[in-house]
Amino acid sequence: MHEQRQRADALRNADKIVRAAIASLREHGPDVSLEEIARHAGIGSATVYRRFGDRDGVIRAAFQTYFAEEVEPLVLAARDADDAGRALTEALTASVETLAAHRALLRAARMSGAFTVDIAVRFMGPLGVVLARAQRQGTIRRDLIVRDLAAILVMALATMHSGDPECGDLRRYLALLLSSLRPSDDELPPPSNRSHHILDSSPASRQIGH
């Protein structure tokens, strides 16, 4: 019982730290210190270091939590739509807008290495089902893979900059990237073997295979 209580306390503390990190980033910006995050959580810095290793560890956990809670539901909802192609583009658009709304977290995640195409693939995996259905419906080009969708997400968000607070450039380049999803007679070069390895080992790809 004592060990169970300790584990439960550790999980509660970890959750408090992650949520404090998300709130602190929104309030103070991407350079917020680990000490400020610990203060916001009401937990000593030593506990934060022990649980997450360093500030980058906290940022990675915070970003993954934000992605799972704010973006993943948008991805999962797309699976139930009749028009798979439209659902795919709407899910990508909503995901970009949701992440763009928390610029400080996004910037900190980039700096810590928490936001890469490989990481985005983990969360965009469920779109593989939608992508396959859209390809069968003929509304999305047939040579796309899930990693391409994750890359579109990362590339679109990379166009954000401080001189464009209304995200006009982001919307423009997202629209340009989404236009590339339409069926085309031009064939894309094949992805690298590494991309196939990442996709083949993901739970989503195994689900698609069934």
Side-chain angles (χ1 to χ4, degrees):
M1 288 295 294
H2 178 65
E3 289 181 359
Q4 288 178 341
R5 283 197 298 270
Q6 283 185 319
R7 285 196 293 268
D9 289 343
L11 289 173
R12 279 193 296 269
N13 283 341
D15 185 66
K16 286 174 65 176
I17 294 165
V18 165
R19 298 193 184 284
I22 294 172
S24 297
L25 285 161
R26 192 181 294 278
E27 182 178 352
H28 300 290
D31 297 321
V32 65
S33 68
L34 186 144
E35 288 72 25
E36 175 59 31
I37 293 171
R39 187 199 64 77
H40 194 113
I43 293 172
S45 298
T47 300
V48 180
Y49 278 110
R50 187 165 56 250
R51 180 64 180 82
F52 293 98
D54 57 15
R55 181 182 178 277
D56 283 352
V58 177
I59 297 299
R60 284 192 291 270
F63 182 71
Q64 290 179 13
T65 295
Y66 186 85
F67 214 123
E69 293 182 351
E70 302 296 333
V71 177
E72 200 167 13
L74 304 173
V75 171
L76 294 173
R79 296 182 302 181
D80 299 324
D82 293 330
D83 186 337
R86 181 175 180 179
L88 191 68
T89 58
E90 288 180 349
L92 285 170
T93 299
S95 297
V96 167
E97 291 176 346
T98 298
L99 289 166
H102 201 333
R103 290 189 180 216
L105 176 60
L106 185 61
R107 184 176 171 191
R110 283 203 194 102
M111 293 164 60
S112 69
F115 188 40
T116 64
V117 173
D118 290 349
I119 290 172
V121 168
R122 299 180 201 170
F123 293 97
M124 307 305 285
L127 279 183
V129 176
V130 187
L131 173 61
R133 190 149 49 88
Q135 289 169 327
R136 289 194 297 271
Q137 292 173 355
T139 56
I140 296 292
R141 60 185 303 153
R142 299 187 64 84
D143 52 359
L144 292 178
I145 59 176
V146 174
R147 184 178 174 81
D148 298 325
L149 306 180
I152 285 174
L153 181 76
V154 173
M155 287 189 289
L157 288 166
T159 67
M160 288 178 60
H161 57 90
S162 58
D164 183 26
E166 300 301 319
C167 291
D169 286 342
L170 172 63
R171 288 193 294 272
R172 176 182 176 84
Y173 292 114
L174 175 61
L176 181 62
L177 289 166
L178 292 178
S179 71
S180 69
L181 302 181
R182 296 171 188 154
S184 173
D185 292 332
D186 297 329
E187 188 173 345
L188 292 172
S192 67
N193 292 332
R194 180 170 176 270
S195 295
H196 280 304
H197 173 72
I198 291 169
L199 292 171
D200 291 344
S201 63
S202 70
S205 65
R206 290 195 292 271
Q207 179 182 0
I208 295 167
H210 292 152

